[in-house]
Amino acid sequence: MGGGARELAGYLAGLTGWVAALAAAVLPQWRQSSYAGDAIITAVGLHEGLWMSCAAQSTGQVQCRLHDSLLSLEVHIQTSRALMVISLLLGFFGIIVSVVGMKCTKVGEEDPVTKSRIAVAGGVLFILSGLCTLAAVSLYATQVTYEFFRESTIPINARYEFGSALFVGWGASSLSMLGGSLLCCSCPAKERRGQQYHRQSQPSTAREYV
């Protein structure tokens, strides 16, 4: 795969990962009511996310309510919120920086070494964005797992398990880190050596003519 094709593939993967992370952050299905156990399944399904909680009835009607207070939320929800916001900001800047540094764009094409470095910087931003998404989703999933298996008087069918947004978040983090890794492969070492050789050869040639 050529350098330009690798950069384009990395950019598309990073962009897809950022869109998926945005969807995961907005979706209310970070955890959902469990139907495990021998009890009768209720007609109402409960979903909770970072920003709201929803109740879905068997008739198809869904009612959602935003979390009332920020400070009254549990620590893992607040931490996941902050990590997802940081992830989205890093991914947004990664999208902009990567466009400038990609070989298929004409911005700064007179200096290919600096352009490659900018592409690498965009890849690093995508990787950091993916790591923040991974940390947020994994932290939330760890808390859901702990609450599900801990000793409690709450019946098992009234507890919560993983929601679909967690799997979207894991996929988003994988795509972001994959895209960032491909962009980081735009190593300018060869171009730098060639440019240095060109600069060193010019004075020597000029001396020969003198």
Side-chain angles (χ1 to χ4, degrees), residues 25-185:
V26 174
L27 287 173
Q29 288 89 4
W30 280 63
R31 66 176 185 173
Q32 61 187 14
S33 53
S34 175
Y35 297 111
D38 299 329
I40 300 175
I41 297 176
T42 59
V44 179
L46 301 178
H47 306 277
E48 289 190 8
L50 299 180
W51 314 99
M52 65 181 68
S53 58
C54 298
Q57 300 181 1
S58 59
T59 58
Q61 184 179 3
V62 179
Q63 296 178 345
C64 296
R65 185 186 67 179
L66 295 174
H67 294 315
D68 297 328
S69 174
L70 172 63
L71 299 179
S72 65
L73 293 175
E74 299 180 18
V75 176
H76 73 281
I77 298 179
Q78 298 184 28
T79 306
S80 297
R81 272 188 177 186
L83 287 172
M84 289 303 296
V85 170
I86 294 173
S87 172
L88 293 174
L89 289 176
L90 289 173
F92 177 75
F93 288 119
I95 292 172
I96 298 176
V97 172
S98 300
V99 168
V100 178
M102 290 172 62
K103 295 179 182 178
C104 57
T105 59
K106 295 184 178 180
V107 181
E109 59 183 354
E110 64 278 357
D111 190 354
V113 176
T114 302
K115 193 173 177 67
S116 296
R117 290 175 178 173
I118 294 175
V120 172
V124 172
L125 289 174
F126 274 128
I127 292 176
L128 292 176
S129 174
L131 289 176
C132 288
T133 302
L134 179 63
V137 175
S138 299
L139 174 63
Y140 198 97
T142 301
Q143 185 65 25
V144 172
T145 304
Y146 169 74
E147 293 179 356
F148 187 88
F149 289 106
R150 72 176 178 179
E151 294 294 335
S152 176
T153 57
I154 302 175
I156 192 170
N157 66 318
R159 302 177 190 179
Y160 288 92
E161 59 185 24
F162 293 170
S164 57
L166 294 181
F167 300 100
V168 174
W170 278 316
S173 64
S174 300
L175 286 174
S176 296
M177 289 188 288
L178 174 62
S181 300
L182 291 175
L183 286 170
C184 287
C185 291

Side-chain angles (χ1 to χ4, degrees), residues 103 111-114 116 187-196:
K103 295 179 182 178
D111 190 354
V113 176
T114 302
S116 296
C187 182
K190 294 182 180 180
E191 295 175 349
R192 189 187 304 117
R193 286 196 297 267
Q195 193 176 61
Q196 289 177 352

